Amino acid sequence: MPTLFRFLFFCGVIAGLVYGTMIALVTFVEPVERNVTVKIPSERVNKTQ
């Protein structure tokens, strides 16, 4: 039983670290806005019938 408790404790610590890292990224990292231009070929827009 002690090895099961140790394994679950280890998994809990890893999950806590991952969760804490995600919260820190959401809190401290600000996304940068920028313009995006996508060129569409004229063959896709003006289809000949």
Side-chain angles (χ1 to χ4, degrees), residues 5-49:
F5 179 73
R6 193 178 313 152
F7 173 72
L8 292 176
F9 179 76
F10 181 72
C11 289
V13 169
I14 296 297
L17 288 173
V18 169
Y19 187 76
T21 302
M22 288 172 34
I23 294 296
L25 284 173
V26 167
T27 304
F28 296 120
V29 176
E30 289 291 328
V32 179
E33 293 183 12
R34 59 183 178 174
N35 294 330
V36 177
T37 304
V38 178
K39 294 184 179 183
I40 302 175
S42 61
E43 292 85 21
R44 290 186 63 188
V45 178
N46 301 324
K47 293 185 178 180
T48 57
Q49 295 179 0

